[in-house]
Amino acid sequence: SWTVELGSPQEAGRWLTDPGMEPIALLVSLLLASGFALTDRWFRLRDRYEARFRLISEVDRSLIGVLEEDRILSIVCEVLSRRKGYRLAWIGSGEPDGSVRVVKHAGEAGELLSAVPVRWDDTPEGGGPTGLTLRTGETCVVNRAGSAPCFAPWKGIAAELGLRSAVSVRIEPNGQQPMALSIYADARSAFDRLEVEAVSALAHRIGTAIESARRYEFFVSAKRAYDDLLRAQRDGVILVRGKRIVRANPAAAALLGYNDEDELVGRDPLLILRDPESDAALARLLHFADEEAERQEWGAEIRRCDGSSFSGEVAVTWVPREDRQATFVPNYSGPLGMILLRDVTLRKKVLEDLCRERDFSAKILDIAEVLVVELTPCGEILLCNRRFEEVTGYASGEAAGKRMADLLIPETSQSSYERAFAGVLSGQGAPGIEYPLVSRTGDERLIVWNHAVMRDPAGHATSVIATGTDATESRRLEQQIIEMQKMEAVGTLAGGVAHDFNNILTGILCNLDLARKVIPPESLAAAPVQESIKASERAAHMICQLLDFSRRSPSERRPIDLRKVVHEVVHLFAQTIDKRIEVGTYVGQDLWHADADPNQMHQVLMNLCVNARDAIMECLEGKGEADTPHGAYRIQVFAGNASIGEEYCRMYPYSRPGEFVLVSISDNGSGMDEATQRRVFEPFFTTKQLGRGTGLGLSTVYGIIKQHDGWINLDSQWGKGTTFRAYLPRATERQEEKPLADETVRPKTGVETVLLVDDEEMIRDLAKQILQLHGYSVFTASDGQEAIDFYTQRMNGIDLVILDLTMPHLSGNEVLTRIRNLNPRAKIILSSGYSSGGTSLASAFLPKPYRADALVNVVREVLDR
């Protein structure tokens, strides 16, 4: 036998091919060579599989306990690309724009990823194994990279890096963008069926690990957020289980006065209540879930650890956790309760303040003397105050829901009211809108409205607040003031007319006196002259009445007893009236003295009595419309004391407070309507027939009372009668009336020198002529300054000065003062149609119009003193 020693397979092959060998030997040699080759390949394949599966197994072991996604991906790529592993392992994520983002990679052939961008759309760059896997979701295997069409964009770089095979599998983490694991090897057909299945299983394992990591991250984030929210919660939060506190936040510890929230853990939750016995229901709820509790929010006094307390609000919520594993230490079982604590001390104080302000505002609205009403933008009444109810007569419930224009505004004013209200809503309404308001009883009141529009955050009107002031009485008082001012203006006009007319009458009377002296009594001209004198005297009397009305007539005020004046006037008046009219008198026993002119008081009473008589006579003659009285027609004269206060002055603004003597004359005649009452004191206004009156009687009364610093009121009702009430100031002291001295006859002629000062040329010429006829030497001056200049030059040669009171440049009073300064003993006569008030420095007063004899007599009287 023989033995062939074969060394290496190459040597065996040479041996077998030796041409000298026998055929059988050749056959044996071929079998032996094939066995050696198969055995070598099997060992190499086994080593490769073992290495690959060790890598895959190591990846699986490395992922155990790893809960970070980034770390998981890094481990996968690093382990797969170790020695005896793969040349390149990387994980890519498909982006919405079609590109593939390299999440992690490892291995010697990393240059492949930067050479050509990888995509997962339909572009050539998206045809690679990674792009196909991401797009289709299927595993993609390339065992011959150099000839595979899908690998064309990377063919050159793959050949340089020695990459001949590749596999790409889909990783499916739920809810995220798709990812793919791509592995590259340096051998052809490196990825057979068994290895591809192992790689797919690895991808599934990676996806599960990523999902677990993401769930853990979500849990950790949620727990961290829960902890952050619990710690950042402003309200105190306490968790309770098994009648013990298992957790608390810092706010709860701070509210209860503890330094740290851990001090509360393990304690009984009842410690938060100052008095658990008084809050038994809340105390029971802090321990157990009470399904029968009507409410889960409570107000209670919360106890701090130092024993103090504060007003708190407690909210309790319970959730069942019987099927949950307890994670608290110590281990408490049962439902989990959450207690929310809130310090409401400030809120309670604010609410108390708001309630106090609300009650205060409600009281203000109730006692306010203004009407307050809230209206919708459509004009419907929502709310109103007590004053509104009083004025309108409608209760709040009755008026609510009704349009104010329809309910309270007269029909004649509704359209203008609607326009004004629309202007208020648009922001163009003017303040102080006046509109009449008709109450439930039909009374009409004048209301001044102011509006404020309430708007929501968007600027839309939600309601309108209207406040109204009842201006009925104010307008009445304003009307009275206007009437008073009108009377003052008329009085001023009457005074000016009377002044000028007095000068004219003075000239007429003086001329007539001179004519009468030179005309013989038997002359035919004597009678016309005498009649002209009588007519002039009547005109002078009328001018006197105008001066009385304008309060410029001469008067002598002194303390007088009006009791005597009343009796004298009534005695005289009763003898001249119709016997069907009764005249009654009532005078108080303790009647104060009045500061008045007795003659003018006679005139006042007589004019008022005559006016009352005329009103009754209209009824007796059938011309009036008065109701027939039960008794006789009568006139009542009353005199008494009156103390005027502030309330009366508010009703009658022209009055003034103090003590006054009241004189009133009442009748039950025809009365007056409102139009007549407004004009009754106007000069020349009369309702009597032509020839029955001049219209100066009541105007004279008005002027005299005003001149005496008093006032007169009128109260009249058509068909019922009239009452006049005159108020005169009370005299501060009494003065006994002196008997009149006997007049002595003095000579009317003289030889003295007189300076006559008057701005009216006619009066200067007439007075000069009259005085010269009686022997006097007369010099004249036309104004005050001329008079001063003349008197200064010839002071010692002038015995008497006659001054007109009203002159240009310098008035009579100013001239009088200057002459007194030059010569204190000078004799001076003041003359005017106005009042003699302020003429105490004068020697005498000569009222205009005067007669020639009156001028001569007063001149002679002053010179003889």
Side-chain angles (χ1 to χ4, degrees):
S1 62
W2 53 274
T3 303
V4 180
E5 293 183 0
L6 297 176
S8 65
Q10 289 80 7
E11 291 177 351
R14 286 193 300 270
W15 176 76
L16 291 174
T17 57
D18 188 344
M21 292 295 295
E22 293 181 0
I24 192 167
L26 179 61
L27 179 62
V28 171
S29 298
L30 289 173
L31 292 174
L32 289 174
S34 300
F36 280 118
L38 290 174
T39 301
D40 181 64
R41 183 174 179 182
W42 183 85
F43 277 108
R44 288 200 307 269
L45 183 63
R46 188 192 66 177
D47 290 342
R48 191 186 71 177
Y49 277 131
E50 287 180 354
R52 297 287 194 271
F53 284 112
R54 279 197 301 271
L55 289 177
I56 294 173
S57 178
E58 185 179 352
V59 170
D60 187 68
R61 290 194 305 272
S62 299
L63 295 180
I64 297 175
V66 179
L67 295 175
E68 295 181 9
E69 180 179 353
D70 187 73
R71 179 63 180 155
I72 291 172
L73 299 179
S74 297
I75 289 174
V76 170
C77 294
E78 290 172 1
V79 173
L80 291 177
S81 61
R82 286 179 183 174
R83 186 174 63 87
K84 294 185 179 182
Y86 299 104
R87 294 290 307 279
L88 174 63
W90 69 284
I91 297 174
S93 172
E95 298 296 313
D97 61 353
S99 63
V100 176
R101 178 173 58 87
V102 179
V103 180
K104 292 293 180 181
H105 73 91
E108 300 174 355
E111 297 178 10
L112 176 71
L113 301 177
S114 59
V116 178
V118 182
R119 300 184 65 82
W120 64 301
D121 51 13
D122 292 333
T123 60
E125 291 80 6
T130 302
L132 289 173
T133 298
L134 289 175
R135 187 164 67 251
T136 64
E138 298 179 356
T139 302
C140 182
V141 179
V142 179
N143 281 322
R144 295 180 180 275
S147 60
C150 65
F151 216 74
W154 299 274
K155 183 176 181 180
I157 187 65
E160 292 179 7
L161 297 175
L163 302 178
R164 293 178 176 83
S165 300
V167 62
S168 181
V169 293
R170 184 86 170 259
I171 301 174
E172 294 292 349
N174 294 331
Q176 299 293 327
Q177 295 177 354
M179 289 193 299
L181 171 63
S182 300
I183 304 172
Y184 294 81
D186 53 0
R188 295 187 181 93
S189 303
F191 299 100
D192 55 12
R193 181 183 60 82
L194 186 61
E195 190 166 351
V196 170
E197 290 179 356
V199 172
S200 299
L202 176 62
H204 179 73
R205 176 70 180 89
I206 295 171
T208 303
I210 291 175
E211 186 173 356
S212 298
R214 288 176 178 175
R215 287 179 179 176
Y216 175 76
E217 183 180 359
F218 175 78
F219 170 76
V220 171
S221 299
K223 186 176 183 301
R224 187 182 299 113
Y226 163 76
D227 291 339
D228 292 342
L229 288 174
L230 188 64
R231 300 186 67 83
Q233 179 63 253
R234 294 182 179 180
D235 294 333
V237 181
I238 298 175
L239 301 182
V240 179
R241 198 173 190 187
K243 298 184 181 180
R244 288 292 182 267
I245 297 175
V246 296
R247 189 169 185 183
N249 71 336
L255 284 174
L256 299 175
Y258 292 92
N259 295 325
D260 188 81
E261 57 267 28
D262 292 336
E263 297 182 36
L264 288 167
V265 176
R267 293 174 177 264
D268 191 332
L270 295 184
L271 65 84
I272 69 174
L273 300 180
R274 187 183 69 176
D275 188 4
E277 295 182 358
S278 64
D279 296 322
L282 177 59
R284 185 170 63 253
L285 188 62
L286 294 180
H287 276 169
F288 304 103
D290 190 353
E291 297 180 357
E292 297 180 356
E294 296 182 358
R295 60 193 178 98
Q296 303 296 315
E297 295 182 358
W298 305 75
E301 286 295 314
I302 306 302
R303 182 181 179 276
R304 297 188 181 94
C305 65
D306 59 1
S308 62
S309 63
F310 61 89
S311 297
E313 186 177 81
V314 182
V316 184
T317 304
W318 287 93
V319 293
R321 293 181 62 88
E322 296 297 343
D323 57 343
R324 306 284 183 89
Q325 181 179 0
T327 57
F328 299 111
V329 178
N331 187 7
Y332 299 114
S333 61
L336 178 66
M338 182 174 67
I339 303 172
L340 293 180
L341 295 179
R342 181 174 297 168
D343 187 350
V344 295
T345 304
L346 180 60
R347 186 177 72 179
K348 186 176 180 180
K349 182 179 181 302
V350 170
L351 288 176
E352 290 174 353
D353 293 341
L354 289 175
C355 291
R356 204 162 34 244
E357 291 181 6
R358 180 199 62 191
D359 295 340
F360 175 77
S361 300
K363 291 295 183 184
I364 290 296
L365 288 177
D366 282 341
I367 66 175
E369 290 301 316
V370 296
L371 289 76
V372 181
V373 59
E374 184 178 9
L375 306 171
T376 66
C378 298
E380 295 178 354
I381 297 174
L382 294 175
L383 297 172
C384 58
N385 70 336
R386 179 190 56 82
R387 180 59 177 167
F388 184 90
E389 295 177 344
E390 291 177 352
V391 174
T392 62
Y394 292 97
S396 179
E398 295 177 303
K402 298 179 180 178
R403 294 184 74 253
M404 183 169 173
D406 300 333
L407 183 65
L408 300 171
I409 304 301
E411 185 176 352
T412 55
S413 303
Q414 285 184 4
S415 59
S416 57
Y417 172 81
E418 296 283 4
R419 289 194 298 271
F421 190 76
V424 169
L425 290 175
S426 63
Q428 301 176 354
I433 305 174
E434 291 187 9
Y435 284 102
L437 182 149
V438 179
S439 68
R440 188 170 194 168
T441 59
D443 295 335
E444 186 171 305
R445 311 289 294 180
L446 182 63
I447 309 298
V448 180
W449 295 100
N450 287 287
H451 300 83
V453 181
M454 308 298 291
R455 301 185 183 277
D456 59 15
H460 302 123
T462 57
S463 64
V464 178
I465 305 297
T467 61
T469 303
D470 189 349
T472 307
E473 298 300 326
S474 299
R475 294 296 179 267
R476 184 181 65 82
L477 294 179
E478 289 176 4
Q479 188 62 35
Q480 290 180 351
I481 293 175
I482 291 173
E483 293 293 332
M484 181 178 64
Q485 292 174 342
K486 181 179 72 173
M487 297 304 295
E488 293 290 337
V490 173
T492 302
L493 175 62
V497 171
H499 171 264
D500 293 337
F501 201 53
N502 263 333
N503 289 331
I504 297 173
L505 282 177
T506 300
I508 293 173
L509 286 172
C510 289
N511 277 313
L512 290 174
D513 284 339
L514 290 177
R516 189 178 61 176
K517 290 181 180 299
V518 299
I519 295 176
E522 64 278 5
S523 172
L524 294 177
V529 169
Q530 187 62 33
E531 290 299 323
S532 298
I533 291 174
K534 290 180 181 180
S536 299
E537 289 176 344
R538 288 180 59 192
H541 178 70
M542 183 178 295
I543 294 303
C544 182
Q545 288 181 310
L546 283 176
L547 289 174
D548 287 339
F549 170 76
S550 64
R551 303 185 297 282
R552 297 183 180 182
S553 61
S555 64
E556 183 182 354
R557 292 172 58 178
R558 64 175 184 269
I560 63 171
D561 186 0
L562 280 179
R563 182 183 292 104
K564 296 180 180 179
V565 177
V566 169
H567 287 306
E568 289 175 1
V569 170
V570 171
H571 177 71
L572 178 61
F573 177 71
Q575 298 178 3
T576 61
I577 64 174
D578 194 296
K579 299 302 181 182
R580 293 173 293 179
I581 303 174
E582 296 179 0
V583 180
T585 305
Y586 176 81
V587 180
Q589 295 298 324
D590 57 348
L591 186 66
W592 297 329
H593 278 56
D595 183 21
D597 185 320
N599 294 326
Q600 291 185 338
M601 288 303 101
H602 275 84
Q603 186 177 2
V604 166
L605 291 175
M606 186 60 72
N607 284 347
L608 291 177
C609 289
V610 170
N611 188 78
R613 180 204 64 187
D614 293 343
I616 293 176
M617 290 304 297
E618 289 184 5
C619 297
L620 291 174
E621 295 173 358
K623 299 177 181 179
E625 297 185 9
D627 297 337
T628 304
H630 296 294
Y633 287 101
R634 57 185 176 274
I635 298 173
Q636 186 71 35
V637 182
F638 169 83
N641 302 327
S643 296
I644 304 301
E646 297 295 337
E647 182 65 26
Y648 182 92
C649 293
R650 281 193 292 271
M651 295 179 60
Y652 301 97
Y654 47 78
S655 61
R656 55 191 176 89
E659 294 181 337
F660 294 85
V661 179
L662 168 63
V663 179
S664 70
I665 288 86
S666 303
D667 68 76
N668 56 352
S670 59
M672 308 178 199
D673 56 20
E674 292 185 2
T676 303
Q677 292 179 47
R678 287 195 294 269
R679 301 189 59 191
V680 69
F681 293 116
E682 293 182 10
F684 306 111
F685 173 76
T686 179
T687 59
K688 299 180 178 64
Q689 298 178 0
L690 186 63
R692 296 286 295 270
T694 62
L696 288 174
L698 291 179
S699 61
T700 301
V701 170
Y702 177 87
I704 292 174
I705 298 300
K706 281 292 186 180
Q707 186 178 356
H708 282 74
D709 300 324
W711 67 91
I712 184 169
N713 289 340
L714 166 64
D715 183 12
S716 182
Q717 187 175 359
W718 178 248
K720 298 294 183 181
T722 303
T723 299
F724 288 92
R725 295 182 181 88
Y727 294 83
L728 298 168
R730 178 185 180 182
T732 55
E733 60 182 13
R734 295 193 177 188
Q735 177 180 349
E736 295 184 0
E737 296 183 5
K738 299 180 180 179
L740 297 176
D742 295 336
E743 293 186 3
T744 57
V745 179
R746 297 183 177 90
K748 296 182 180 180
T749 60
V751 294
E752 290 84 357
T753 302
V754 177
L755 174 59
L756 177 63
V757 185
D758 200 303
D759 60 330
E760 287 287 340
E761 181 179 1
M762 178 181 63
I763 295 179
R764 290 199 308 269
D765 294 342
L766 280 173
K768 178 178 180 180
Q769 183 179 356
I770 293 170
L771 292 176
Q772 287 178 343
L773 287 175
H774 289 78
Y776 297 100
S777 298
V778 181
F779 296 98
T780 62
S782 60
D783 58 59
Q785 187 60 51
E786 183 181 349
I788 291 296
D789 296 340
F790 186 87
Y791 188 84
T792 303
Q793 297 174 3
R794 305 187 62 174
M795 181 190 315
N796 296 328
I798 298 176
D799 300 304
L800 177 67
V801 179
I802 301 175
L803 286 174
D804 185 22
L805 190 61
T806 305
M807 294 185 299
H809 305 306
L810 291 175
S811 67
N813 281 327
E814 291 175 322
V815 176
L816 173 62
T817 301
R818 294 193 183 187
I819 291 178
R820 280 280 181 250
N821 292 334
L822 294 173
N823 180 12
R825 299 178 60 85
K827 296 180 178 182
I828 305 172
I829 298 174
L830 275 181
S831 178
S832 177
Y834 291 155
S835 172
S836 61
T839 60
S840 58
L841 295 177
S843 303
F845 181 78
L846 178 62
K848 291 182 179 180
Y850 53 76
R851 306 282 298 275
D853 291 343
L855 172 63
V856 174
N857 287 337
V858 73
V859 168
R860 189 68 263 162
E861 179 185 354
V862 171
L863 289 173
D864 290 344
R865 288 180 186 174

